Every structure is written in structure tokens, then in C-alpha cells.
Amino acid sequence: MRTMTSKAAQPAKVQAGPGASESPATGPAGRRGGKKSSMGVQNLAGWLFSTPFLVLFLVFMALPILATLVMSFTDFGLRNVTHPMDANFIGFENYVNLFSDDKFLKSLFNTAYFVVIGVPLTIFLGLVVAVLLNNGIDRARTFFRVGFYAPVVTTIVAVAVVWRFVLDPSDGLVAGLFSEVGLTSPDFLGSETLAMPSMIAMAVWRNLGTVMVLFIAGLQAIPTEVREAARLDGAGVWQEFKGITVPLLRPTLLYATVITTIGYLNVFEEPFVMTQGGPSDSTLTVSLNMYREGFNFFHMGYASAMAYVLFVVIMGITVLQLRLLKDNTK
Amino acid sequence: MSATSAPGAVSTAPSKKPGDTRPSEAKKPRNPKRLLVYVLLSVGLLIMSAPFLWMALSAFKTQAELTASPPVWIPTEWTLENFRNLLDKLDLPLYFMNSVIVAVLVTVSNLVFCSMLGYALAKLNFAGRNKIFGLVLGALMVPGNLMLLPLFVLMSKLHLIDSYAGLVLPFAAGAFGVFLMRQFMQSIPDELLEAARMDGAGEWYIFWRIVMPLVKPALATLSIFTFLGSWNNFVWPLIATNDPDKYTLPVALATFATDPNKAGGSNGMLMAGSFLIVLPVLVVFIALQRHFTQGIATAGMK
């Protein structure tokens, strides 16, 4: 349509142009079907341009996702890595076993613990930093933003190794802070009660930057006139925050909450490197449990069932969050 | 009024001298509040950077200072011994090369394939376009753990365990990249492409010669994200490699760190290793930080 006005100087070809953009799904476009029908070309080109991605997607994502589902109904084990077809179909046995498996239930609980404490903390602190950066200062904004975002880009394995040392009760950084005030540091990662909170602290430290950047983008999308108007009406900082910033940030809040939750439900590297799931499975997450069952013990059918339970949980929670947060806006 | 805020302000906002009583623009009444914000942010930043500082400082400590209790903050005698020991025990150049090769291959293939589909979704009218876009959005939401097990079986069958192909293929085209490229390509005016079509340009020519040069900033953003994503990736390389010669840096470090026989609790070597993995990433990030925030923001605004 838009092309018509600019190209009106070439009357012969104009016919094919609008025809192509107006009827996207009808085969060869235009009654005239000039020397090359743009629609046909675009149809072919569209599929050719999509093919590489689609092939990779099909082979390395769609098929494996389906295969996980199939495997979860079998006793797929080490032998079946070379002879997949020999695995036996066992119905829902894996799923039934999961829910009487104390280890799995514990990993489910640990993951929930991680998410329930970790997500609100990450979102809240990310929002606070974003608001401070956006309203409070005019100098060194980039400097602070870079500083808060830096942990996001670093290699998580390396960072988890560092955190292990930071929390070391005898010679770590935190132990140093404790000794500075004359106290002995607890053994954070060696304690059943403190290991998970330590892991959460690290996750918040690492992910706060992502949330902060999202909120900064969201805040900058709020028209300044709205704020000015509120200020002229005598709104205080808190009123402005509650009455204007938060409601207008809802889409960002929703997005940030959803991606943080999904990320935390999959938590793997932190416990793998820092505690190996210990002490006494107190930091065994579902993903780590699945990895162990699948690749250490080669109970791959069982591990597949675990993966699907986690997937269903993730989908359920995502849908729930979308509902809850969307409804609130109306 | 100004006397209370000025002395503190020196440390954070370096512009004003203490006791400077000039009427500093119109901002005056908000100064104490601003100061509080600076203090809060500075404290936050200190906490955020403490693990990095601790890592960097510890990498240069002697064994005695590393195990000192209470801990020593700043090494009195800087040493490279940790790096030397680490390089003796761990073939870091090899792992570094593995990581680079994998990351470069993943990045290049993502740039090409994601841009191609991004172009098709943004600029070509074809049957099935909406369905493919739905697929891309769906793929964004699926957790990676869901395909690990069959992917391992598949790669074993294809004899691609312990190969670069096995490390690269599952990440050769990501949904995030498609989404990002589509967003950017939508802003290119249709008139421009129509004009090229009138002149007889084929779709490949338009894509490669007209569209790609116009989305260079997006390509830069995508390269950085993909390269770092691959550089930092852990779970799949951990599964897809058994031969230590094919380990990537994170796998090598994690294997080293979690094996008591190897690292032997030597935090010095581990800090040196972490330092060597994290430093290039931080340097690249600081140099190109604008692209990062842009990429995150674009992905966040659907």
C-alpha cells in the first residue's frame, strides 16, 4: 500500500506491488501475473530463508523434546544409549515412582525454596537500583549501571568457584568481615540451614543486573510529562513511585518476574560447583538431581520424567504469573 | 544547609570543593537526597564488586596469605605463583582455544541463520510466516534441560560426543537471535526493499547487500550475546565431552575445582583460573556495554 504512492511514477509495475502486500496467503498474486509474480517469489524465498533454522530447530530441539516425553515412559538406561529401541515401555511407572522418591521431593522443595525467596529479592533489589539510577543521580550513571550489570556477563562456573572461596569459613572474604567485628564465621556452605540461603544470595547478586536493565528501559519509556504533572500536583517521592511508576512498569515487572522465575527453576551450576547438592542434599535442585540420575547413574527414563515434571511446573507457574499480573492491571 | 551536605559530597561527587557556597544551580534543595542516593548506590556497588576484587587480589597472594586466618585483604607480596602452578596442572591454552573455536562457530552460524529467518519474518510475505514466528516464541520459553538427555543419545549415535560439531550444533541457531533480528529488521522501510525489487534485485541480494549492512548494530549486539553465551555455557559441554582434550574452559575449571585430588583445596590456583576466565569477559563487556543494555531492552519490549 505504502509503496504505491512513492512508486506511482512507474505505472506498469504498480499493479504487482500492492497485490503482493495485500493478499499474503493467496497463491500467485495479481490477475496480470507479470514476468515474476512477487508473491510467488516471496513465498519461496520465505521458506528458503526459514529452512536452516527450521532444520536445526527440528533436529536439535523439537525432536529431543518429544523424545524426552517418550523416554519418560520407558526404562531407558545406559544400554539404550547405543540401542535406543530396546528400551521397554513402562507406562507411568517413572512418574509414580518420582512422587514416592524422597530425594526428588526434597529437590522439588529446594527448588521451590530457591524460587520463592530468590525471585522477589532479585526483582525488588533490581527495581530499587533501577529507580535510584534513573531518578536520583545525573553523574556516573553509566559507571554504576556497568558495575551492577557486570556479574550477569561473567562465567557462572568461575563465579561459583569464587563464591565458594568468598564464603570459606576460615580464609574467605566473609570470614574476614566476621573477624573484623570479633566473630567467627559460620560454615555457610557446610551448613544444612545456611547453604541454600548462601546460594540464593549468589543468585541475587548475579541476576540483579538483568532485572535492573529491564526496569531502566521500562522507566525510560514512561513519559516525563506524567511525572512532572504528578510532582506539580504535590505528589511525594513515594506517592509518585506507587501511583505512577509501579502501575506503568507492570509489563516490565511481569516480564522480569517470568524470566527470573524460569531461570531460577532451572538452577544448576551454582549447586553443582559450590556444594554438589550437599550437605545432606540440602542444595540438591531438580536440575542437578536430573543431571545425576541421567548422566551419573544413567537412569535416563527416570530423569526424563523428572525433566517433564519440571517443565510442567515451569509452564504452570508461567501461565499463573501471566494471569495474576495481567488481571491486576485491569 | 550546604555545610551539612558538602563534606560528604566530596567523596562521591567530585565537582564541588568543601565549603563551596556558590548557589549551585537550581538543584540545591535536592542535594541531601541526591547524596543519599549516591551513598546507597556506592555501597551497593561495593558489595557487587567485592567478589571480583577478592578474586583478583587472591589470585596474586602467596599460599601463606591465602590460608591466613583471619584473612588478609591485600597481598603484601604480589606473586604469579598461582598462575604458574595452574598452568602446570591445567592445559589452559588448549581449553581456551576450544572455547574460542566453539564460540566463534556458534556466533557465526547464529548471525547468518537468525538473520535469515529474522528477515523472512520481518520482510517477506509468505504462507506459514505466523506459524513459524509462533514456533520461535515457543522455543524461547522451553527450558534447555528438557532436551539434554535425548540430545546426548542423538550425539552418541552420530559419534559427535567429544567433537566441535557436537558442541556447536545444538546452539547453531537460537530463538533469541531470530527474535532480536526480526525486531530490528522491522524498522527498515518497506519502500527501500520494494525499490530494489523493482530494479530486479533477488531476495538474497536484498538480504545480504541491503538489509544486513543496515542492521550492523543489531548484528553487533547479537554477536556479543551469542559469543558470551557460548563462552559461559556449562551444562551441555559438560555432558557432550568426556575427553579432557575437548573440554571448554568452564568444564575444565569445574572439573578441576570439584575434584579434591586435583585442586587439593588450592584456592590460589582456583582464583587464578577464575580470574583468567572472567577477565576477558569483563573487559569485552565494559568496552561494549552499550550493546548489552540495548539487547536486553529490545528483548524485553515485545
Side-chain angles (χ1 to χ4, degrees):
Chain A
M1 282 275 246
R2 275 160 288 148
T3 58
M4 204 160 46
T5 50
S6 59
K7 295 289 170 275
Q10 296 152 291
K13 287 177 183 171
V14 168
Q15 305 295 0
S21 52
E22 248 157 50
S23 55
T26 53
R31 295 118 292 193
R32 306 164 49 114
K35 56 184 170 192
K36 56 174 158 183
S37 81
S38 168
M39 189 60 218
V41 170
Q42 290 206 9
N43 227 333
L44 180 68
W47 281 101
L48 287 178
F49 275 89
S50 313
T51 303
F53 179 91
L54 290 179
V55 169
L56 288 165
F57 173 83
L58 198 74
V59 177
F60 297 109
M61 195 162 178
L63 276 180
I65 289 170
L66 268 180
T68 306
L69 186 62
V70 175
M71 276 164 75
S72 73
F73 295 105
T74 69
D75 62 354
F76 208 101
L78 180 56
R79 200 174 53 92
N80 304 108
V81 173
T82 43
H83 301 92
M85 292 307 158
D86 291 354
N88 299 307
F89 182 77
I90 54 168
F92 282 91
E93 205 180 302
N94 286 327
Y95 290 94
V96 173
N97 289 342
L98 272 181
F99 288 96
S100 52
D101 177 349
D102 287 344
K103 211 163 199 172
F104 176 71
L105 295 177
K106 184 145 198 189
S107 70
L108 211 53
F109 171 82
N110 290 339
T111 308
Y113 180 10
F114 189 86
V115 169
V116 167
I117 309 290
V119 173
L121 263 179
T122 310
I123 299 290
F124 175 73
L125 289 175
L127 179 60
V128 168
V129 174
V131 168
L132 289 181
L133 273 179
N134 211 48
N135 301 326
I137 64 171
D138 41 20
R139 222 180 280 282
R141 195 177 282 177
T142 309
F143 171 74
F144 281 113
R145 201 179 53 199
V146 167
F148 278 96
Y149 192 73
V152 177
V153 299
T154 51
T155 313
I156 184 152
V157 169
V159 162
V161 167
V162 172
W163 269 75
R164 224 169 62 166
F165 182 39
V166 164
L167 295 172
D168 192 302
S170 62
D171 45 27
L173 174 116
V174 175
L177 294 175
F178 271 85
S179 75
E180 213 101 308
V181 288
L183 294 169
T184 342
S185 164
D187 184 3
F188 289 98
L189 297 177
S191 146
E192 274 185 58
T193 46
L194 292 177
M196 199 45 122
S198 312
M199 208 102 32
I200 293 172
M202 184 198 153
V204 172
W205 172 83
R206 191 174 141 78
N207 293 292
L208 190 154
T210 309
V211 175
M212 170 200 77
V213 169
L214 287 173
F215 280 129
I216 289 176
L219 286 168
Q220 281 168 354
I222 298 176
T224 33
E225 299 87 67
V226 179
R227 295 171 174 286
E228 310 266 294
R231 256 178 230 152
L232 283 180
D233 287 347
V237 175
W238 177 243
Q239 279 166 317
E240 183 194 321
F241 180 75
K242 235 185 89 182
I244 293 179
T245 310
V246 172
L248 288 175
L249 267 187
R250 260 215 166 103
T252 316
L253 189 70
L254 172 68
Y255 180 73
T257 307
V258 169
I259 61 159
T260 310
T261 308
I262 294 177
Y264 283 11
L265 281 167
N266 281 303
V267 59
F268 174 81
E269 284 94 341
E270 292 93 334
F272 183 92
V273 177
M274 284 163 77
T275 58
Q276 310 250 274
S280 328
D281 291 339
S282 60
T283 57
L284 183 71
T285 60
V286 176
S287 289
L288 182 57
N289 198 6
M290 186 203 83
Y291 171 83
R292 276 199 198 157
E293 286 291 340
F295 297 104
N296 292 346
F297 312 133
F298 287 100
H299 300 151
M300 297 182 106
Y302 194 56
S304 300
M306 230 177 256
Y308 257 90
V309 170
L310 182 62
F311 176 58
V312 169
V313 169
I314 289 174
M315 276 326 218
I317 290 177
T318 306
V319 169
L320 197 73
Q321 283 177 340
L322 291 172
R323 280 253 172 87
L324 283 178
L325 286 161
K326 274 228 171 90
D327 282 355
N328 281 349
T329 51
K330 293 184 179 138
Chain B
M1 244 245 262
S2 68
T4 53
S5 64
V10 178
S11 59
T12 48
S15 66
K16 295 269 181 295
K17 282 191 218 140
D20 190 344
T21 45
R22 268 179 304 164
S24 62
E25 293 99 45
K27 290 177 199 154
K28 191 135 227 187
R30 286 164 67 190
N31 259 348
K33 223 183 272 172
R34 234 160 241 255
L35 178 69
L36 179 68
V37 170
Y38 274 109
V39 169
L40 282 175
L41 284 173
S42 302
V43 170
L45 194 63
L46 193 67
I47 295 171
M48 295 300 280
S49 47
F52 290 134
L53 293 174
W54 188 249
M55 169 192 76
L57 292 172
S58 299
F60 296 99
K61 282 180 197 165
T62 60
Q63 191 55 30
E65 281 182 331
L66 276 162
T67 51
S69 184
V72 178
W73 299 87
I74 294 168
T76 44
E77 171 190 349
W78 297 70
T79 171
L80 290 174
E81 202 181 337
N82 295 316
F83 292 92
R84 258 183 249 121
N85 288 342
L86 182 73
L87 287 167
D88 277 346
K89 291 208 173 187
L90 208 59
D91 193 353
L92 279 180
L94 173 75
Y95 305 129
F96 189 87
M97 275 319 289
N98 286 344
S99 277
V100 169
I101 290 170
V102 172
V104 166
L105 291 176
V106 167
T107 306
V108 171
S109 73
N110 266 281
L111 286 181
V112 175
F113 297 148
C114 296
S115 303
M116 283 171 68
L117 182 51
Y119 172 64
L121 293 178
K123 290 294 165 202
L124 296 175
N125 271 315
F126 67 103
R129 177 169 82 164
N130 292 337
K131 282 199 182 114
I132 294 178
F133 186 55
L135 214 63
V136 171
L137 290 183
L140 273 176
M141 290 183 210
V142 178
N145 288 339
L146 200 58
M147 43 231 160
L148 289 180
L149 295 139
L151 215 46
F152 172 76
V153 177
L154 179 70
M155 290 302 181
S156 305
K157 286 298 254 181
L158 296 173
H159 301 289
L160 290 179
I161 297 294
D162 288 327
S163 77
Y164 292 133
L167 288 170
V168 170
L169 281 172
F171 300 95
F176 171 77
V178 175
F179 188 76
L180 195 74
M181 294 318 295
R182 177 186 168 271
Q183 296 290 91
F184 275 92
M185 286 175 177
Q186 272 182 331
S187 63
I188 296 174
D190 285 330
E191 287 83 357
L192 187 67
L193 308 186
E194 280 307 321
R197 280 181 195 128
M198 304 265 171
D199 290 343
E203 291 302 328
W204 181 257
Y205 183 91
I206 294 175
F207 165 70
W208 200 246
R209 291 296 170 84
I210 299 175
V211 173
M212 288 298 257
L214 284 175
V215 291
K216 269 186 191 152
L219 291 171
T221 302
L222 181 58
S223 320
I224 299 164
F225 269 94
T226 320
F227 192 93
L228 278 192
S230 176
W231 186 265
N232 294 339
N233 190 12
F234 178 61
V235 186
W236 179 246
L238 176 72
I239 290 166
T241 55
N242 296 319
D243 177 3
D245 281 352
K246 283 296 185 305
Y247 283 175
T248 56
L249 273 178
V251 179
L253 181 71
T255 312
F256 190 67
T258 52
D259 184 343
N261 298 324
K262 285 182 184 158
S266 166
N267 284 326
M269 273 192 274
L270 289 175
M271 288 312 105
S274 303
F275 182 78
L276 289 177
I277 297 184
V278 165
L279 189 68
V281 173
L282 280 184
V283 170
V284 169
F285 163 63
I286 289 166
L288 303 172
Q289 53 90 18
R290 217 161 27 89
H291 292 290
F292 278 88
T293 41
Q294 202 178 22
I296 293 274
T298 308
M301 292 187 292
K302 298 216 169 177

